[in-house]
């Protein structure tokens, strides 16, 4: 299986079986994102503990397969991380989609990098970039908002 096929499989899998879907218990941060270009919507719920650790994260959303897969991948990779590290990964991802070809964050394992890289194909489709980045921008908002 070549890399393109593998990436497609990962996106299809997350699009069909989104991880962390729903409203997580005891969330204390949330934010909404909207992509009018495609009609995608996402609502992220985050439970941040006293040590700035993301104890739990979940989402609800509607829209295209890319937007759902992206939110699912995001929550999957981010759960259990601290907020500071998460913001770095978000920045890294947004740069990846814009120009770079690789993630430079060193706190991700190979599986997580492969999963995130599966979204990098949208670079070839400018109309889909917002679908892939919406959830990540939304998490950025949720973490930076004052609690
Ligand atoms: Zn979309």
């Amino acid at each position: 299986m070549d890399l393109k096929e593998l990436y497609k499989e990962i996106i299809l899998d997350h699009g069909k079986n989104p991880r962390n879907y729903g409203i997580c218990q005891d969330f204390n941060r949330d934010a909404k994102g909207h992509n009018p270009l495609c009609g995608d919507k996402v609502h992220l719920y985050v439970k941040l503990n006293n040590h700035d650790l993301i104890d739990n994260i979940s989402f609800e959303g509607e829209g295209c397969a890319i937007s759902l897969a992206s939110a699912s991948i995001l929550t999957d990779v981010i759960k259990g991380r601290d907020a500071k590290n998460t913001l770095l990964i978000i920045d890294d991802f947004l740069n990846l989609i814009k120009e770079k070809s690789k993630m430079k964050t060193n706190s991700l394992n190979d599986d997580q990098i492969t999963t995130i890289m599966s979204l990098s194909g949208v670079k070839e489709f400018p109309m889909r970039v917002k679908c892939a980045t919406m959830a990540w921008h939304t998490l950025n908002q949720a973490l930076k908002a004052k609690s």
Side-chain angles (χ1 to χ4, degrees):
M1 193 189 282
D2 71 13
L3 210 52
K4 261 195 173 161
E5 281 295 309
L6 175 65
Y7 286 170
K8 210 169 118 191
E9 289 285 314
I10 294 173
I11 290 180
L12 282 175
D13 176 44
H14 277 269
K16 262 190 228 156
N17 309 298
R19 320 293 197 270
N20 309 302
Y21 196 89
I23 304 176
C24 67
Q25 264 195 340
D26 304 327
F27 72 91
N28 48 17
R29 301 286 180 100
D30 74 310
K32 284 180 186 174
H34 181 211
N35 170 22
L37 281 178
C38 183
D40 309 319
K41 283 180 188 161
V42 71
H43 193 163
L44 277 175
Y45 304 91
V46 180
K47 187 190 172 201
L48 204 62
N49 74 16
N50 295 336
H51 306 286
D52 254 9
L53 214 74
I54 297 177
D55 266 351
N56 212 345
I57 176 167
S58 69
F59 78 101
E60 287 184 319
E62 50 181 301
C64 67
I66 299 270
S67 72
L68 291 174
S70 176
S72 171
I73 287 169
L74 170 70
T75 57
D76 205 26
V77 168
I78 284 319
K79 202 190 248 188
R81 290 178 183 276
D82 69 60
K84 211 170 141 194
N85 182 238
T86 299
L87 290 173
L88 289 177
I89 293 172
I90 294 173
D91 266 1
D92 205 12
F93 173 77
L94 296 175
N95 283 326
L96 166 83
I97 297 294
K98 259 190 285 178
E99 61 216 34
K100 278 193 306 137
S101 55
K102 277 198 169 72
M103 295 288 286
K104 63 173 184 222
T105 316
N106 55 16
S107 59
L108 298 164
N109 67 34
D110 286 353
D111 271 1
Q112 291 171 324
I113 289 175
T114 304
T115 304
I116 289 176
M117 287 296 293
S118 70
L119 293 164
S120 64
V122 299
K123 263 189 288 203
E124 293 165 43
F125 309 95
M127 289 292 288
R128 309 314 296 276
V129 166
K130 285 219 163 105
C131 305
T133 57
M134 174 181 65
W136 300 67
H137 283 298
T138 306
L139 179 59
N140 213 354
Q141 270 175 44
L143 291 178
K144 286 181 173 170
K146 292 224 162 66
S147 53

